[in-house]
Amino acid sequence: MTLEQTILNGVDRNEIYRYLSAKRKVDDSWQTYVEAVLEETGTLILPNQLMIEDAISIDANQVKLISSELQLTSENFADHIKGGKRLWIVAATLGHLIERKIKYYFAVNPTRAVVMDACGSALIESYCDILERSIKDAHTEVKGFTSRFSPGYGDLSLTTQRQLFERFDISKRTGIHLSEGDLMLPQKSVVFMIADQPVDTPQSIGCQHKCASCTLQHCIYRTEGM
Amino acid sequence: MLKQRIKNGTLIFDGAMGTYLQKSGMAAGEHPETLNISQPALIQSIHLKYLKAGCDVLTTNTFGASPLKYPGDIAPAIEAAVANAKAAIDAYQRETGDASPKYIALDLGPIGQLLAPMGTLSFDDAYESYRRQAEIGIRAGCDLILIETQTDIYEAKAAVLASKASGDIPVICTMSFETGGRTFMGTDIESMATILEDLGVDALGLNCSFGPKEMLPLVEKLIGETSCPILIQPNAGLPKTIDNITVYDTKPLAFKEIMTKIRALGVTHIGGCCGTDEQYIAALKEIVILMPSPDRKPAPERFRIASYAKTVTIGGCAPVVIGERLNPTGKKRLKEALRQLDKDYILKEAISQIEQGAAVLDLNIGLPEIDEAALMPVLIREIQGIADIPIQIDSSDLNCLEAAAKYYNGKPMINSVSGKRESLDTILPIVKRYGACVLGLTLDDNGIPSAAEARFAIAEKIVREAVALGIPKRNIIIDCLALTASAQQSDVIETIKAIQLVKSRLGVPTVLGVSNVSFGLPYRQLLNQTFYIMAMTAGLDAAIINPGHQEMMSARDAFNVLNGWDEQSKDYIQTYGHITKRVETIRKEAVSGADAGDGSTGGLYDIILKGLKGQASETVEGLLKTMPPMAIVDEIIIPALNDVGSRFENGTIFLPQLIQSAETVQQAFERLKAALSAVEGASISKGKLVLATVHHDVHDIGKNIVKVILQNYGFEVVDLGKDVPPETILEACVQYDIQVVGLSALMTSTVTSMEKTIALIKKERPETIFIVGGAVLNPEYAQMIRADHYAKDARETAQIVQQLFR
């Protein structure tokens, strides 16, 4: 199976519907429609990634990547990976074609554009899940792992993004660029980090909707019931 | 001569510099180019290793020496880089006595910023950046320029043009691909080859990304797409970075094995990229000794035009449809759209032609009051921002043609040159400079000759002059010109004869604007269709027609079956197989996909509720017989929209349904606007406002949804797009005299841009009212940044705007 198919197969439909503000099950004709758009979106992906692994030391709000000589400042992040000895940084993207197609549809068929945008978000999540799993599979000696954490979460500033990009030459190696405001282009791109844990952690992959730990109390995507 | 050696001989390029420096202990985060000055001995020692391994070309340590990326002055860094390469060559020749020529390639890596429209860097700035690097490098004494690791063909175009403008030394350009056969920006192998070859590079090829194993299938493809010499520089396999050490998974022996296969395909120039060292280059030297001059099958010569991601071949295949509708002649609505720069309308026209089957779009914006040279690049960029269809630039304004050819992302087709002396002298140099294709008209200073032979003579002259200027014959297409049967009946058949002559004697493809033939006669469709079939039978390769005309497209579909282009009638059966209805509707049905939702019919209110956009226009048509347009808006559309909005709010429907209802209303509005335009002074507009995603924020989906909904309620939206600086928003407020501004931001970090925008505009125009929205905002935050209103979604925005304009 190609990587593109694996990514498509891994998509969580519930995520797509959540991005599309569906509060209840949508009827069959719409489900068929969403599936068709998802399939089309799947043909537009150009997946690319970069993985960095390094030993870390954690001191208060400082996370130091030892060999890479890089220091990240964040209380939330330090707390999230507390006890960890190694850190994996992953940059992943689905390329530019999705974005152009969304713009295309916005000009003639905004409904399809909106659905495609949601499908693209679900696809990049699926890709991240695959990459996260590959790290875990390659390191069976590690007892547990943290969940994913990204620049911009909590007090880990978005400017961390630039630190990582410059240090690891992420633009050249993945094609992801940073805008002036440190946002990633293409938009369907993610940088995430996971660390090892000295204790067993639940073997789940991906976003566990730990919205309760997020400071964005008003986020429209905040999962209820946390 | 180096140019000759690139063309006919072999060159071994060196291996990696960057990864070599990392292995040599370069400090984390250091710019490798600074070492040219601070550690020249280190750089020279790496160069020397490659020379001893057998390379012919040293690449300077200047990959990141772009003035837009490098923190210091680039001149000393580039000069030192060239000096280091020279010193290494001197040392090598002294040490070994080897007097064979060695060359220095000035390395030009990507700038590291995305070009507009996907990013913000302008083509001109990219061009200037490369030009400066090239000029310094040439002055310092480099022998050739190597543009490499490009993923954006648009940036590669800027780099090639800038390099060629800087001096007369060879230019080579290589790009990085993904395993799927496209660069990260979407360019495929065929488009890369088509564009770069005619930009006049001396060699082109692939580098970086992955090892030779993954590159092999891409090289196999590339060999068939170009006759240009090829340079291949793979990595030492796939990289893995652990504890700051990047390891590559292909060893020199395995590298050699696959590079031998690559060489055998006819690749004359080889080298290494990331992770390779002198052992890999020594392996390449062994390959060259064993296989000094590999055979290469010449690639077929074809007329090809390309966008950044799609190439269209004309000639030797099924006839191509060039969509003619983006031409204001006789089109009132398009004229208005061009005057008001109504990009949405122009994009819709482009897309509808694509969906109707156009493979190329003709773009003509000739109106007396329009500055074509300024507007054409803007529209090209808009169309290329959403679609990869190649564009035929249609203008009689020389400045416009030049600007369009320069800024077009790909290999454009220029419409047109004629046999007139002035035309040949002015148009052909532009075609040459920008590696374009050109459409030649068979007319000259004496007009359009009647006889086929005379038209052929003009075609022959155009081809001769173009070839003399260095434009390959494969880049020329001839239009034998359709004359009207009503006025010049006997000349019509001469066009058909001329097509046959051009095809058989000149061997270049032909194109025709078909519908001219029927001017002044009744039932034009029949004449157009018949003439089209006659021309295709005579060998016509492309027609400039309206792809919305069913009879033309159907004739083409049938011709493709009968002429054998449509193998096993696959396309024909797919389009027409299941349909037994009347002819006029079938193709339309076959090519337009069905929307979601049920198919029930009902009143307009119900149609909006269900989002049945295909039925809106017709229903409004019926209603207009008994109701005035504004009553339809106020009594049916607005209440229906409010109903849809409440259903969305209480979760009965989800976002795509809300949008589909909105689209349905837009369809209704199109029909209503037409009705209102008949009544002087009447308008649906309930007010005008500005919408923008704030500076530094690139997320515009929310803003776009708000726009659709607001337009539904009859508001005119000046959409400034995303990443909009505060000053631009202020300018728009002044220009359109606008009091209401909607701002969107997704990221916490960009809410400060929102705050700055509000502060600036409130200072200049205190009466301006701001509505803000976006995932990270809330009412308190909105108040803090002095916004007047917070809206949680598009529906709430519409409610607020309705209140404001009441």
Side-chain angles (χ1 to χ4, degrees):
Chain A
M1 197 188 293
T2 64
L3 174 62
E4 287 81 358
Q5 282 165 334
T6 313
I7 294 171
L8 188 59
N9 289 347
V11 163
D12 179 354
R13 266 63 174 176
N14 292 330
E15 285 291 286
I16 300 178
Y17 289 109
R18 194 168 67 87
Y19 299 142
L20 293 174
S21 314
K23 298 201 174 78
R24 60 184 72 172
K25 195 171 173 292
V26 304
D27 68 36
D28 288 352
S29 71
W30 276 104
Q31 284 186 33
T32 311
Y33 183 80
V34 169
E35 284 301 316
V37 179
L38 177 61
E39 201 184 309
E40 186 191 352
T41 317
T43 65
L44 300 170
I45 61 178
L46 298 166
N48 203 353
Q49 55 88 18
L50 174 68
M51 269 189 210
I52 313 283
E53 180 186 341
D54 203 351
I56 45 168
S57 66
I58 304 165
D59 183 14
N61 66 347
Q62 299 294 317
V63 176
K64 197 172 168 196
L65 282 74
I66 294 165
S67 304
S68 320
E69 295 173 33
L70 192 72
Q71 197 151 312
L72 309 179
T73 306
S74 160
E75 212 167 296
N76 297 140
F77 183 49
D79 187 48
H80 183 77
I81 60 170
K82 203 160 112 190
K85 300 279 179 228
R86 295 195 73 77
L87 185 75
W88 286 263
I89 301 169
V90 180
T93 178
L94 297 180
H96 284 278
L97 292 182
I98 296 181
E99 232 143 294
R100 288 198 200 248
K101 201 68 184 189
I102 291 171
K103 282 173 85 176
Y104 174 98
Y105 282 130
F106 246 114
V108 282
N109 189 343
T111 309
R112 207 168 178 92
V114 166
V115 176
M116 184 168 277
D117 186 70
C119 291
S121 299
L123 281 159
I124 185 68
E125 281 302 312
S126 165
Y127 189 25
C128 289
D129 291 349
I130 291 165
L131 295 170
E132 183 185 339
R133 187 169 294 117
S134 78
I135 295 170
K136 292 181 175 175
D137 290 349
H139 295 280
T140 45
E141 78 285 359
V142 173
K143 270 197 143 181
F145 285 92
T146 64
S147 60
R148 306 201 291 248
F149 204 95
S150 295
Y153 284 13
D155 66 348
L156 181 64
S157 156
L158 201 59
T159 53
T160 310
Q161 207 90 278
R162 194 162 292 276
Q163 260 184 297
L164 298 175
F165 269 65
E166 283 177 2
R167 179 62 194 82
F168 300 114
D169 217 0
I170 292 176
S171 287
K172 185 192 166 192
R173 293 164 76 178
T174 64
I176 308 170
H177 285 77
L178 283 188
S179 72
E180 253 182 274
D182 294 331
L183 300 179
M184 282 182 285
L185 298 167
Q187 287 182 40
K188 301 306 175 196
S189 304
V190 168
V191 167
F192 73 81
M193 298 180 277
I194 59 170
D196 63 335
Q197 290 292 283
V199 290
D200 278 334
T201 46
Q203 288 304 302
S204 49
I205 299 278
C207 172
Q208 305 308 312
H209 300 305
K210 297 270 165 39
C211 291
S213 64
C214 179
T215 50
L216 285 180
Q217 299 297 325
H218 292 272
C219 175
I220 54 168
Y221 297 113
R222 196 177 178 85
T223 313
E224 284 156 26
M226 297 307 297
Chain B
M1 275 290 286
L2 179 56
K3 275 203 183 217
Q4 279 309 313
R5 180 147 175 201
I6 295 173
K7 195 173 174 195
N8 302 316
T10 277
L11 287 171
I12 300 174
F13 283 67
D14 56 4
M17 176 60 82
T19 47
Y20 216 123
L21 290 173
Q22 278 163 15
K23 273 198 287 187
S24 310
M26 179 174 66
E30 188 166 2
H31 287 270
E33 294 76 17
T34 57
L35 301 176
N36 293 333
I37 299 165
S38 65
Q39 294 194 53
L42 171 65
I43 305 294
Q44 288 168 25
S45 73
I46 296 170
H47 284 325
L48 191 59
K49 282 178 188 164
Y50 283 126
L51 289 166
K52 285 181 178 170
C55 85
D56 304 303
V57 182
L58 288 179
T59 310
T60 57
N61 178 34
T62 52
F63 182 86
S66 158
L68 296 169
K69 186 156 84 176
Y70 188 67
D73 181 1
I74 60 162
I78 293 175
E79 284 157 4
V82 177
N84 286 333
K86 275 186 185 166
I89 293 172
D90 288 346
Y92 168 76
Q93 289 174 336
R94 262 198 322 272
E95 252 182 68
T96 63
D98 177 4
S100 64
K102 303 291 174 189
Y103 304 100
I104 300 169
L106 175 73
D107 190 25
L108 300 183
I111 291 168
Q113 293 179 35
L114 276 182
L115 267 76
M118 302 315 284
T120 51
L121 181 65
S122 76
F123 184 86
D124 287 339
D125 286 347
Y127 177 92
E128 273 311 309
S129 167
Y130 282 112
R131 199 183 53 83
R132 194 161 140 64
Q133 284 174 275
E135 279 177 1
I136 297 167
I138 292 170
R139 218 181 310 123
C142 68
D143 303 299
L144 71 149
I145 292 174
L146 175 59
I147 300 156
E148 54 136 324
T149 321
Q150 298 287 333
T151 57
D152 183 355
I153 191 76
Y154 200 34
E155 183 174 345
K157 178 175 176 174
V160 171
L161 288 173
S163 298
K164 287 175 69 75
S166 304
D168 189 25
I169 63 169
V171 176
I172 298 178
C173 181
T174 59
M175 296 189 75
S176 284
F177 280 74
E178 303 304 320
T179 45
R182 285 187 184 272
T183 71
F184 187 68
M185 296 296 291
T187 299
D188 58 317
I189 295 271
E190 186 183 9
S191 301
M192 173 195 74
T194 303
I195 296 162
L196 290 181
E197 180 167 9
D198 283 309
L199 277 174
V201 296
D202 294 89
L204 56 87
L206 316 174
N207 80 299
C208 210
S209 303
F210 31 57
K213 191 173 138 221
E214 294 81 9
M215 213 173 255
L216 178 62
L218 304 185
V219 181
E220 284 168 346
K221 168 96 176 122
L222 178 60
I223 282 282
E225 300 295 353
T226 178
S227 302
C228 198
I230 290 174
L231 167 62
I232 299 296
Q233 293 190 282
N235 289 347
L238 296 166
K240 210 173 196 180
T241 305
I242 300 172
D243 293 331
N244 204 33
I245 296 169
T246 306
V247 188
Y248 291 82
D249 67 1
T250 305
K251 301 291 168 239
L253 199 64
F255 189 83
K256 182 183 167 186
E257 195 184 315
I258 307 167
M259 284 305 281
T260 304
K261 291 182 188 164
I262 287 177
R263 173 80 171 163
L265 291 169
V267 172
T268 42
H269 310 306
I270 46 180
C273 201
C274 302
T276 58
D277 58 22
E278 64 275 18
Q279 293 178 55
Y280 293 80
I281 302 309
L284 296 181
K285 178 74 181 175
E286 289 168 23
I287 296 173
V288 171
I289 291 169
L290 287 171
M291 209 191 302
S293 49
D295 285 337
R296 178 163 169 201
K297 270 193 284 180
E301 293 280 299
R302 288 164 290 186
F303 181 96
R304 291 188 295 184
I305 56 172
S307 71
Y308 55 90
K310 187 180 262 177
T311 298
V312 172
T313 300
I314 299 180
C317 53
V320 164
V321 171
I322 301 172
E324 68 172 11
R325 290 213 303 272
L326 287 176
N327 182 331
T329 312
K331 296 188 191 76
K332 195 177 152 199
R333 180 69 183 86
L334 183 61
K335 278 182 191 166
E336 188 193 320
L338 287 170
R339 285 191 199 107
Q340 297 179 354
L341 197 49
D342 179 355
K343 291 176 192 167
D344 289 350
Y345 178 81
I346 293 160
L347 289 182
K348 271 184 194 150
E349 272 300 287
I351 291 172
S352 81
Q353 291 188 87
I354 294 168
E355 296 193 340
Q356 286 160 349
V360 177
L361 290 182
D362 183 86
L363 182 59
N364 180 316
I365 55 169
L367 285 177
E369 63 273 40
I370 278 178
D371 178 357
E372 283 190 60
L375 185 60
M376 185 69 100
V378 173
L379 292 180
I380 288 175
R381 198 177 72 182
E382 287 293 324
I383 294 170
Q384 295 207 302
I386 58 157
D388 59 10
I389 188 166
I391 295 173
Q392 169 176 288
I393 302 156
D394 184 357
S395 174
S396 51
D397 175 342
L398 209 60
N399 293 329
C400 169
L401 289 179
E402 166 116 35
K406 180 178 173 188
Y407 294 114
Y408 175 78
N409 188 358
K411 178 185 176 187
M413 177 164 161
I414 289 178
N415 182 2
S416 55
V417 70
S418 73
K420 290 181 185 174
R421 187 72 263 149
E422 195 196 344
S423 175
L424 291 163
D425 290 345
T426 53
I427 308 282
L428 292 180
I430 297 174
V431 174
K432 168 74 180 153
R433 192 173 313 134
Y434 297 103
C437 289
V438 68
L439 184 154
L441 301 175
T442 53
L443 63 87
D444 61 13
D445 296 301
N446 301 316
I448 305 172
S450 294
E453 283 286 352
R455 292 192 218 177
F456 170 77
I458 296 172
E460 199 177 26
K461 179 180 166 194
I462 292 170
V463 171
R464 195 175 55 239
E465 298 230 359
V467 170
L469 207 69
I471 298 166
K473 198 168 94 170
R474 63 163 186 275
N475 285 344
I476 306 162
I477 192 165
I478 295 293
D479 185 341
C480 296
L481 296 167
L483 296 165
T484 59
S486 58
Q488 291 158 282
Q489 194 167 10
S490 62
D491 291 351
V492 173
I493 200 69
E494 294 299 316
T495 302
I496 301 295
K497 285 184 198 162
I499 290 172
Q500 288 165 328
L501 289 176
V502 168
K503 294 276 292 184
S504 62
R505 290 204 221 150
L506 265 183
V508 300
T510 56
V511 60
L512 199 63
V514 177
S515 51
N516 288 348
V517 80
S518 60
F519 274 122
L521 286 169
Y523 198 9
R524 291 188 61 187
Q525 289 173 4
L526 184 59
L527 290 167
N528 291 344
Q529 190 184 32
T530 309
F531 186 54
Y532 186 27
I533 296 167
M534 286 165 70
M536 285 190 289
T537 311
L540 184 72
D541 301 288
I544 305 171
I545 57 174
N546 180 350
H549 283 166
Q550 297 306 307
E551 70 288 349
M552 299 298 268
M553 300 304 278
S554 302
R556 194 265 325 243
D557 295 342
F559 176 83
N560 284 345
V561 171
L562 303 177
N563 200 47
W565 293 123
D566 182 1
E567 277 179 40
Q568 296 172 326
S569 312
K570 276 186 199 149
D571 294 343
Y572 188 84
I573 292 168
Q574 199 188 345
T575 310
Y576 305 100
H578 60 289
I579 292 169
T580 52
K581 288 184 206 164
R582 288 179 57 221
V583 174
E584 296 90 271
T585 55
I586 56 179
R587 202 173 187 285
K588 202 170 175 183
E589 278 185 20
V591 296
S592 66
D595 297 323
D598 69 30
S600 69
T601 54
L604 184 59
Y605 190 97
D606 198 37
I607 284 169
I608 293 170
L609 219 54
K610 287 180 176 150
L612 305 170
K613 49 188 172 179
Q615 295 178 24
S617 185
E618 204 181 317
T619 310
V620 168
E621 186 80 49
L623 285 170
L624 280 169
K625 288 175 191 152
T626 54
M627 283 174 87
M630 281 320 288
I632 298 176
V633 175
D634 293 332
E635 289 166 32
I636 304 176
I637 293 181
I638 302 287
L641 275 173
N642 288 338
D643 192 354
V644 171
S646 339
R647 285 170 195 240
F648 175 66
E649 212 162 55
N650 66 31
T652 319
I653 60 171
F654 76 146
L655 185 61
Q657 285 169 293
L658 176 76
I659 305 292
Q660 186 144 300
S661 291
E663 283 189 67
T664 308
V665 170
Q666 274 185 340
Q667 296 295 327
F669 271 163
E670 281 299 320
R671 181 64 197 88
L672 286 169
K673 274 182 195 161
L676 279 169
S677 68
V679 186
E680 206 174 321
S683 155
I684 290 179
S685 180
K686 299 202 170 211
K688 201 181 225 178
L689 71 158
V690 159
L691 281 187
T693 296
V694 296
H695 204 197
H696 301 316
D697 206 326
V698 297
H699 302 91
D700 60 355
I701 197 133
K703 184 262 304 166
N704 290 341
I705 294 170
V706 169
K707 177 183 169 183
V708 172
I709 302 294
L710 286 177
Q711 284 174 331
N712 267 221
Y713 279 90
F715 297 103
E716 273 183 86
V717 176
V718 178
D719 179 6
L720 299 178
K722 61 187 175 186
D723 196 4
V724 189
E727 298 75 23
T728 310
I729 302 174
L730 175 62
E731 272 169 38
C733 289
V734 175
Q735 186 187 345
Y736 298 102
D737 191 23
I738 278 173
Q739 260 96 46
V740 179
V741 176
L743 297 177
S744 166
L746 181 75
M747 309 296 291
T748 330
S749 59
T750 55
V751 176
T752 46
S753 300
M754 197 175 252
E755 188 174 13
K756 279 182 195 157
T757 307
I758 296 173
L760 174 78
I761 299 176
K762 289 246 177 195
K763 192 170 145 230
E764 301 291 328
R765 293 169 69 88
E767 71 284 6
T768 312
I769 296 168
F770 287 89
I771 308 165
V772 297
V776 297
L777 284 155
N778 60 45
E780 297 77 45
Y781 213 174
Q783 207 174 11
M784 220 162 74
I785 61 171
R786 295 184 59 212
D788 303 275
H789 300 275
Y790 163 79
K792 75 172 166 43
D793 55 22
R795 152 116 173 111
E796 202 170 287
T797 313
Q799 287 169 337
I800 295 166
V801 175
Q802 277 182 301
Q803 289 289 337
L804 291 175
F805 283 99
R806 188 154 285 172

